[in-house]
Amino acid sequence: MGTSLLNGVEGIFIPVKNPAVSAQWYETVLGFKLNYIEEEAAVMKISNNSPTVVCLVKVENYTPMKFPSNNFGVGKYVNFIPKNIEKLYDELKNKGIAVKPLGGDEEKKYFTFFDPDGNPLGACK
């Protein structure tokens, strides 16, 4: 196997109905930091230490992201790495966020949750 030509992920692009409304949710619920906002998009940092930004992009004829059917069991395009997955799971449930059951075992845990536009997002630790 050769040396990778890439270093990581600079940006994740998520389709939304309204960047301002979505940015408020991502900030309030997940703690993302707003870099800047305009009519067509909001650009947010996952955390102060993360090089990855999340771009909430206004799209016409909005429909939530939908991962194609597969036999691997994945239904979302991105998994975020939480500091404490059980705490994140409990906090999202307590805030009334739609979440699927926490899965996995002692070594690896994961779950899917949904932003206000119905986009599936994941957490995995």
Side-chain angles (χ1 to χ4, degrees):
M1 181 175 204
T3 303
S4 177
L5 299 175
L6 305 172
N7 288 322
V9 176
E10 181 275 334
I12 298 168
F13 299 86
I14 299 175
V16 298
K17 295 176 192 173
N18 183 321
V21 171
S22 292
Q24 184 176 10
W25 185 88
Y26 279 78
E27 184 174 42
T28 303
V29 173
L30 299 178
F32 288 14
K33 308 294 183 210
L34 183 65
N35 278 3
Y36 68 89
I37 191 166
E38 54 190 54
E39 185 178 339
E40 299 301 321
V43 177
M44 307 187 83
K45 286 201 56 135
I46 293 172
S47 73
N48 289 333
N49 299 327
S50 175
T52 305
V53 295
V54 173
C55 300
L56 306 170
V57 181
K58 182 178 180 178
V59 296
E60 295 180 25
N61 304 315
Y62 175 82
T63 57
M65 293 186 300
K66 182 170 172 53
F67 202 88
S69 296
N70 61 85
N71 293 322
F72 191 63
V74 68
K76 67 246 175 213
Y77 286 94
V78 61
N79 272 339
F80 294 105
I81 303 169
K83 293 178 182 174
N84 180 317
I85 195 160
E86 291 91 357
K87 181 178 178 184
L88 174 63
Y89 184 80
D90 290 341
E91 284 189 23
L92 293 177
K93 282 187 75 168
N94 290 338
K95 290 179 180 179
I97 307 302
V99 297
K100 290 191 174 182
L102 184 62
D105 53 33
E106 291 303 315
E107 188 173 313
K108 186 66 99 178
K109 295 185 181 185
Y110 51 86
F111 69 93
T112 299
F113 61 101
F114 298 85
D115 76 3
D117 290 315
N119 290 307
L121 305 169
C124 185
K125 184 83 174 192

